[in-house]
Amino acid sequence: MSERILVIEDEDRIARLLQLELAHEGYEVAIEKTGRQGLKTGLSEAWDVILLDIMLPELNGIEVLRRFRNTNQTTPIIIITARDSIPDKVNGLDQGANDYVTKPFEIEEVLARIRSCIRLAKHIHEQNMEPSPKTLKVNSLVVKHRSHEVFREGKRIILTPREFDLLVYLMENWNLVVTREQIIQHVWGYNFTGDTNVVDVYIRYLRKKIDYDFDTHLIQTIRGIGYSMRESAK
């Protein structure tokens, strides 16, 4: 069965290009040209990947992303945007996007990022089909893998999908040092071609949520190498 991709893009030329190229690759493709209709279609049907423009009529892409993630935390979303500043990219990722592509883009890059998102989604689905729940515990931090719930000292902590994957990877490597490159490969995927500085950005997000308000800090910076999860007093 062909993977289904929803393209939410109001520029006719780009929408048509994506439709033709994706169909040529064997994907089933649907196009929506407004943010409001794109959100409605995205939530009403099952999609393997959503390609989402930022500058959309009726409802901008970031608001579409925010509302979609309130209901659906799992469907991969790739932002397509002409805004190439770091704050714009980080904002999109922080709202729950899985990846981003800047305009103008090469179609080969878009296809590679789609394949990466689909592989990762399938991997997460297979993990969630395990017969017994997977729970990770470090100090007072508890992660329930199948339900994507995170608690510290009994307080529930809300993470974006990318933050959750990063936290799980660090917890699975408790007391070990992992490099930025290793984190990129395991959390973003082997086909990720962005700047490894995105790891530092997400580590900062994660620290704000699971470390800063507690007496024991768990995420440690290993200067010149990467990061490690281990106990350290304030």
Side-chain angles (χ1 to χ4, degrees), residues 1-233:
M1 184 177 180
S2 299
E3 285 95 353
R4 305 184 73 230
I5 298 179
L6 172 62
V7 178
I8 308 176
E9 168 63 67
D10 67 322
E11 292 187 47
D12 290 336
R13 181 181 61 82
I14 295 178
R16 183 58 176 164
L17 169 67
L18 289 169
Q19 185 176 39
L20 290 173
E21 293 290 346
L22 293 172
H24 180 72
E25 293 295 318
Y27 297 112
E28 182 181 337
V29 187
I31 305 290
E32 295 293 355
K33 296 186 178 180
T34 71
R36 197 171 301 280
Q37 186 58 45
L39 177 62
K40 180 180 178 180
T41 301
L43 291 174
S44 63
E45 301 180 41
W47 305 97
D48 293 284
V49 175
I50 295 176
L51 302 182
L52 175 64
D53 187 22
I54 295 298
M55 303 299 291
L56 292 169
E58 296 185 10
L59 205 63
N60 71 64
I62 293 297
E63 185 61 19
V64 171
L65 176 60
R66 188 187 68 79
R67 295 187 189 186
F68 186 86
R69 283 295 183 231
N70 285 337
T71 301
N72 183 317
Q73 289 285 323
T74 58
T75 299
I77 296 178
I78 300 174
I79 288 178
I80 298 179
T81 177
R83 297 179 175 179
D84 59 357
S85 71
I86 294 299
D88 285 325
K89 294 175 181 178
V90 168
N91 184 37
L93 292 169
D94 195 35
Q95 291 297 327
N98 298 80
D99 207 341
Y100 62 83
V101 176
T102 55
K103 300 177 182 177
F105 55 78
E106 297 291 338
I107 191 63
E108 290 80 8
E109 178 185 4
V110 177
L111 294 173
R113 292 179 186 273
I114 288 172
R115 291 193 296 268
S116 178
C117 281
I118 290 174
R119 281 198 302 270
L120 182 58
K122 287 181 178 178
H123 175 66
I124 292 173
H125 176 72
E126 290 169 358
Q127 287 184 325
N128 289 340
M129 293 301 290
E130 293 174 357
S132 59
K134 180 179 180 181
T135 299
L136 299 172
K137 188 175 186 300
V138 170
N139 189 270
S140 61
L141 179 65
V142 177
V143 172
K144 296 183 178 181
H145 203 281
R146 288 185 65 184
S147 61
H148 276 225
E149 291 180 296
V150 179
F151 301 88
R152 181 122 197 230
E153 295 183 3
K155 175 186 176 183
R156 185 170 184 178
I157 298 171
I158 304 300
L159 301 181
T160 67
R162 190 73 73 184
E163 290 168 350
F164 182 86
D165 292 341
L166 174 57
L167 177 59
V168 168
Y169 181 65
L170 292 173
M171 292 180 73
E172 289 176 337
N173 289 276
W174 169 251
N175 268 336
L176 299 177
V177 178
V178 290
T179 66
R180 290 172 179 81
E181 289 74 19
Q182 288 174 318
I183 293 173
I184 286 289
Q185 290 176 1
H186 286 85
V187 178
W188 274 263
Y190 287 94
N191 288 326
F192 180 80
T193 57
D195 196 323
T196 57
N197 285 341
V198 72
V199 173
D200 303 320
V201 172
Y202 271 81
I203 288 289
R204 186 166 65 249
Y205 290 159
L206 208 50
R207 278 175 166 155
K208 287 181 180 179
K209 294 183 178 182
I210 72 165
D211 267 350
Y212 287 178
D213 293 335
F214 302 93
D215 291 333
T216 302
H217 288 178
L218 300 176
I219 301 176
Q220 311 301 322
T221 299
I222 310 302
R223 191 174 300 277
I225 302 176
Y227 297 95
S228 178
M229 180 164 276
R230 58 183 67 164
E231 294 184 15
S232 175

